[in-house]
Amino acid sequence: MSPTSRFRALRSPGAVELSAIPVVAVEEFRSGVLRAAKAGLRLCALFSRSVEGGTGLCAVLADDARGLLYILFSEPTKVLRSLTPELASAHLFEREIGESSGIEIEGHPWLKSVRKSPADKVVFFRESGAEVHEVAVGPIHAGIIEPGHFRFQCHGETVHHLEIQLGYQHRGVEALFCGGPDRRSVFVAESVSGDTAVGHTLAYCANLESLGGARASLRGEALRAASLELERLANHVGDLGAMSGDVGFLPAAAYFGRLRGEFLNLLMALSGNRYGRGLVRPGGAAFDLTSAMAEDFSARLARARTDMNAISGLLFESASVLGRFDETGVVSRQTARDLGFVGLAARASGLDLDVRRDHPHGLYRFRHIPVVKIDSGDVYARAMLRHLESLRSLDFLEELIADLPRGDACAACSAPRPGLLAVSLVEGWRGEICHVAETGDDGRFRSYRIVDPSFHNWPAVAMAMRGGEISDFPLCNKSFNLSYAGHDL
Amino acid sequence: MIAHAAALLVVPIILVGVVNRTKSCWAGRKGVPLLQAFYDIVRLARKRPVYSSVATVFVKAAPSVVLGTAVVSGLLVPLLGRRTPLSFPFDFVFFAYTWGLGRIFLMLGALDTGSSFEGMGASREATYSALVEPAFFLAAGTLAAASGKSSFAQLLRFRPDDPATAVVWCGCLVALFVLLQVESARIPVDDPSTHLELTMIHEVMVLDHSGPDLAVIQYASAIKMTVCAGLLAALLNPLDAAAGPALFAAANLGLILGAGIVIGTVESLIARLKLRSIPEYIFLAISAAFVALLASTLRRGGLG
């Protein structure tokens, strides 16, 4: 019996009838997920779903080599024997289930609130000893960033342990979708995480299209891909600037900051909004790129590439910067795989993952972006990867814009059909975005679940700090630049 | 005397402006006004300070002691000419420990707030200032030995006249420049413009100071930087005794502001060091001063 024989297979983005998804007893669900994970599948999402007679569970696992997703439901249950001792990447999902559904998680090593209880009510891991001290940072920070609480256990300058407590940005995003889709839904999707407006809206629209049995227009898909890559470029370049600023390397911080503006301005020219809001809509894209604009885009992208190369040269050839980046905040490949990190953080630790290649959606089915990975897992790897991925995105964009598919930017998208489950994966600039939508008998969303890459990756920040210096924390944190809002939903 | 006092109080504001302007030029920005430090101090001075509920007298005393020690140390250094308001044999020892007194109060004030950040800052400050002290004494002592003089005003008049003394002179310059970077919290040792409390050394110790207290501390830091730059300027001033006092003073002030340009340029071109590597950087100062000491003893025919 193959490890996935109990699961229902699906290609992302796609929908499947709820009745076609196997429902098994909770023990069988547990062993099924563990067996599939042991066979090399990756846990994309694990959440509770209310069904007749109680609360059941749903697991989504990805087979990256075959480009397939596997889905399994469990029967209603009150207790789940924790998967975490055998499958570490389930730890946050189980904490979320324990917090939000009332299912009791048995045997979880550190079961506590993910996002719903304030940090002063949470028990933190604590070291004791005469020379050990504790440092508490946040939720209010020195810079203008989102709130989050960080608790360090230190010995002098060395960090032994970092515990991250988030939840300050919890807005009930998933609940806002329920009963939809309505006029508000697409705007909620755009606000899941402000800097990933394109990524999340893309995942939402892909779900809506598969639920409605519709297809986005090819030109619309191309414009979506262009905006997704522009979002990636703006954020990667902005992060490179922020990392330069954190180590006090001012020229690169200033120039990258300026260059980020160029990419945001391109998004602005395309959609009327610097973060690409209002562009991605069910059926395609709300705005088109005229041929005159396309020529202007190509010229501006070419200039941006020249600048990018010059500034990156400045950054990566400066010995003092390399001294700060090298071997700081190392996350090993083993850790990255065990804890299920995704996207840039995973590729910087040598994992070969990229939704754009493994589960291609939209235009990525026809045009490919080479996946870049670096093995060292340190701040340097995450910085260099941002540079290299930016260059790949520029290549992709230049080719795409010179040869846009013809046709309408937006196709019609019919209303969702009842009784379906749709899953879509999108490679946002941080990594894998996973949206799971379920429609009820009336064709409205019965539940809508979102897994932002930050949800997978926040533990990476804690792992990167172990044994490091506390003064390197801001740099490490910036090298991941995870979303608080995306985690807190 | 009055001119010296005026220079000691005015030049720090301009020097901070020059450093910031240099940095903004390198970054392609217009930058803040040259006198921004002055506006900041005035703005802060008009505010009402806020004290932590656990704070005692140390938090309140620290700013005045820090400013007082900075001003007194400034009276020992020839900012304008050959003379200083205060000068006596081996006054550089007094100089070093005047700074030490200010530092102790700054650290006590930091610990007094009961914040874990400030405790960390105080511990870092203690570590790095303990390391930089030998560099200062080696440099000043070597200059004293090489010039045969004993007060700051005189020993900073030392000029090279053969290869061995050139080594002495250069070694001391390097040591004093590193001293400046450590004592006035500049890149690559500390980053005065960062907002990241976990990476700070000097700034984190004054996080809980507000209003006039903060103004006083910022002013004192600027004075300390000017005093350090004054040491370098006095050692570099190319004019000899024949030049008029006004010309000499102008050259000195020009060199102090020139030091500001060098500081700003260094900050723009290199990143900050890892905290762990800062001792190695300070060791550079100790080594330079030690080489200077060796060269000076060599010139006099050995240690005997």
Side-chain angles (χ1 to χ4, degrees):
Chain A
M1 199 169 88
S2 100
T4 52
S5 59
R6 293 308 310 264
F7 290 75
R8 167 72 205 216
L10 176 72
R11 271 193 200 280
S12 156
V16 59
E17 280 176 28
L18 285 171
S19 54
I21 299 170
V23 182
V24 298
V26 71
E27 261 311 303
E28 203 183 329
F29 176 85
R30 182 181 186 277
S31 58
V33 171
L34 288 177
R35 205 168 50 235
K38 208 159 272 168
L41 271 67
R42 199 165 49 75
L43 191 60
C44 287
L46 175 68
F47 51 85
S48 61
R49 54 189 290 271
S50 53
V51 289
E52 235 172 281
T55 309
L57 297 162
C58 171
V60 180
L61 288 102
D63 184 343
D64 295 321
R66 293 209 187 85
L68 282 173
L69 296 177
Y70 291 96
I71 301 165
L72 188 63
F73 284 165
S74 89
E75 289 167 357
T77 178
K78 290 205 161 36
V79 183
L80 169 68
R81 200 148 61 83
S82 174
L83 287 83
T84 304
E86 287 159 78
L87 178 63
S89 60
H91 75 117
L92 258 177
F93 290 115
E94 288 190 335
R95 280 171 53 188
E96 195 274 331
I97 292 170
E99 169 179 72
S100 66
S101 73
I103 294 179
E104 192 187 328
I105 311 288
E106 253 178 20
H108 190 289
W110 196 234
L111 192 66
K112 49 183 250 175
S113 165
V114 180
R115 38 175 93 114
K116 287 194 178 160
S117 78
D120 56 348
K121 299 253 165 52
V122 171
V123 177
F124 289 95
F125 176 81
R126 199 155 197 182
E127 262 188 326
S128 56
E131 296 185 344
V132 177
H133 64 111
E134 188 179 67
V135 180
V137 182
I140 299 164
H141 298 284
I144 303 168
I145 58 168
E146 295 176 87
H149 182 83
F150 300 87
R151 191 67 67 95
F152 295 89
Q153 308 297 322
C154 298
H155 181 248
E157 297 281 340
T158 307
V159 176
H160 284 176
H161 185 71
L162 161 62
E163 199 164 339
I164 302 169
Q165 187 66 36
L166 304 177
Y168 298 90
Q169 300 274 82
H170 181 51
R171 297 147 288 158
V173 166
E174 292 172 327
L176 285 173
F177 282 104
C178 292
D182 51 30
R183 284 195 300 180
R184 183 176 64 178
S185 305
V186 74
F187 299 105
V188 175
E190 280 176 345
S191 337
V192 170
S193 168
D195 53 17
T196 320
V198 174
H200 276 287
T201 319
L202 197 48
Y204 167 77
C205 291
N207 267 349
L208 217 57
E209 284 148 15
S210 16
L211 287 172
R215 275 232 154 144
S217 77
L218 195 57
R219 192 174 174 88
E221 295 279 27
L223 292 168
R224 287 173 174 190
S227 59
L228 188 67
E229 295 310 318
L230 281 174
E231 181 175 81
R232 189 182 321 279
L233 278 163
N235 281 297
H236 278 1
V237 165
D239 284 347
L240 283 170
M243 288 162 79
S244 315
D246 276 7
V247 299
F249 191 59
L250 304 175
Y255 299 147
F256 275 125
R258 201 265 300 158
L259 192 58
R260 170 172 177 267
E262 300 283 325
F263 294 118
L264 292 178
N265 289 346
L266 284 173
L267 267 175
M268 171 91 181
L270 183 58
S271 69
N273 180 284
R274 277 159 62 87
Y275 298 96
R277 289 181 176 214
L279 177 70
V280 181
R281 285 296 176 266
F287 301 98
D288 205 347
L289 194 70
T290 62
S291 56
M293 277 167 77
E295 267 172 41
D296 178 46
F297 266 47
S298 300
R300 284 159 81 173
L301 285 171
R303 270 204 306 278
R305 177 196 295 274
T306 314
D307 292 348
M308 176 86 204
N309 280 324
I311 307 165
S312 286
L314 193 67
L315 182 70
F316 290 110
E317 280 163 24
S318 160
S320 59
V321 171
L322 294 182
R324 289 299 302 277
F325 284 4
D326 272 342
E327 290 169 30
T328 302
V330 178
V331 174
S332 73
R333 191 189 162 112
Q334 188 67 39
T335 306
R337 179 175 298 136
D338 288 349
L339 291 178
F341 301 154
V342 296
L344 185 123
R347 289 193 289 277
S349 290
L351 293 189
D352 195 10
L353 293 180
D354 192 322
V355 172
R356 292 173 293 175
R357 180 200 58 197
D358 302 332
H359 306 272
H361 51 88
L363 200 83
Y364 298 103
R365 284 170 295 171
F366 313 116
R367 286 183 185 270
H368 303 283
I369 287 196
V371 178
V372 198
K373 68 182 178 76
I374 298 179
D375 291 330
S376 56
D378 50 7
V379 171
Y380 171 80
R382 291 185 284 274
M384 191 47 140
L385 204 61
R386 281 184 161 86
H387 168 62
L388 295 175
E389 287 195 357
S390 300
L391 292 181
R392 300 293 175 278
S393 293
L394 279 170
D395 290 341
F396 177 86
L397 269 174
E398 286 186 342
E399 277 183 35
L400 179 65
I401 285 176
D403 184 24
L404 274 176
R406 288 175 211 295
D408 287 335
C410 204
C413 180
S414 37
R417 294 166 292 170
L420 294 181
L421 181 105
V423 186
S424 68
L425 297 185
V426 168
E427 184 77 16
W429 63 274
R430 285 195 182 91
E432 175 187 289
I433 297 166
C434 176
H435 283 214
V436 184
E438 197 181 314
T439 51
D441 297 333
D442 54 355
R444 305 218 153 252
F445 291 138
R446 225 162 64 85
S447 83
Y448 200 96
R449 306 305 299 243
I450 297 170
V451 186
D452 188 86
S454 305
F455 190 80
H456 292 284
N457 286 354
W458 267 113
V461 179
M463 297 310 291
M465 283 312 294
R466 287 210 176 157
E469 285 181 72
I470 191 167
S471 61
D472 282 333
F473 170 70
L475 177 62
C476 270
N477 192 21
K478 201 65 62 57
S479 74
F480 290 99
N481 191 13
L482 301 175
S483 167
Y484 299 70
H487 173 278
D488 294 346
L489 294 178
Chain B
M1 174 72 195
I2 292 167
H4 186 98
L8 185 61
L9 297 180
V10 174
V11 174
I13 303 282
I14 302 170
L15 183 63
V16 170
V18 168
V19 173
N20 288 338
R21 182 53 60 87
T22 311
K23 284 166 76 173
S24 57
C25 286
W26 278 103
R29 288 183 287 119
K30 259 173 85 180
V32 296
L34 216 51
L35 295 180
Q36 186 62 44
F38 176 70
Y39 304 140
D40 284 344
I41 286 170
V42 170
R43 175 176 53 84
L44 288 170
R46 285 159 56 189
K47 290 189 176 184
R48 190 166 49 88
V50 178
Y51 297 104
S52 145
S53 57
V54 298
T56 65
V57 66
F58 284 107
V59 169
K60 294 174 189 171
S64 7
V65 176
V66 172
L67 181 65
T69 52
V71 170
V72 169
S73 71
L75 297 178
L76 294 163
V77 175
L79 291 178
L80 289 179
R82 304 181 186 82
R83 292 178 178 286
T84 56
L86 204 59
S87 181
F88 49 88
F90 303 104
D91 52 4
F92 57 84
V93 181
F94 176 74
F95 176 88
Y97 290 108
T98 308
W99 273 9
L101 182 67
R103 184 177 298 123
I104 285 285
F105 267 83
L106 193 63
M107 281 158 45
L108 286 175
L111 292 171
D112 195 23
T113 61
S115 137
S116 53
F117 296 133
E118 302 218 14
M120 248 164 29
S123 125
R124 288 170 185 168
E125 174 85 6
T127 311
Y128 302 130
S129 55
L131 286 169
V132 82
E133 195 175 285
F136 173 75
F137 277 121
L138 269 176
T142 303
L143 283 175
S147 65
K149 304 286 174 21
S150 60
S151 82
F152 244 159
Q154 293 169 318
L155 62 85
L156 287 173
R157 265 183 249 159
F158 176 79
R159 292 291 179 276
D161 47 19
D162 59 52
T165 49
V167 172
V168 174
W169 190 69
C170 290
C172 291
L173 273 178
V174 170
L176 290 178
F177 187 69
V178 175
L179 174 82
L180 182 155
Q181 288 176 323
V182 177
E183 288 291 349
S184 37
R186 310 305 307 194
I187 287 176
V189 178
D190 198 353
D191 184 355
S193 52
T194 185
H195 64 276
L196 305 166
E197 65 273 51
L198 289 175
T199 70
M200 298 170 175
I201 301 174
H202 176 79
E203 297 298 317
V204 74
M205 288 194 295
V206 302
L207 273 186
D208 283 55
H209 290 280
S210 53
D213 288 355
L214 185 59
V216 165
I217 286 194
Q218 287 186 348
Y219 193 33
S221 307
I223 292 178
K224 260 179 98 171
M225 180 160 71
T226 310
V227 169
C228 281
L231 292 177
L232 288 170
L235 198 55
L236 280 169
N237 198 330
L239 299 179
D240 59 16
L247 191 64
F248 195 91
N252 234 29
L253 287 178
L255 283 167
I256 289 178
L257 299 182
I261 295 176
V262 174
I263 294 167
T265 304
V266 169
E267 294 201 359
S268 302
L269 296 185
I270 62 172
R272 215 188 131 186
L273 290 166
K274 251 184 193 176
L275 220 48
R276 198 172 41 212
S277 323
I278 294 175
E280 293 160 31
Y281 187 68
I282 300 177
F283 191 69
L284 173 78
I286 300 180
S287 319
F290 192 67
V291 168
L293 177 69
L294 284 183
S296 92
T297 53
L298 194 75
R299 180 167 152 271
R300 290 191 298 143
L303 287 165

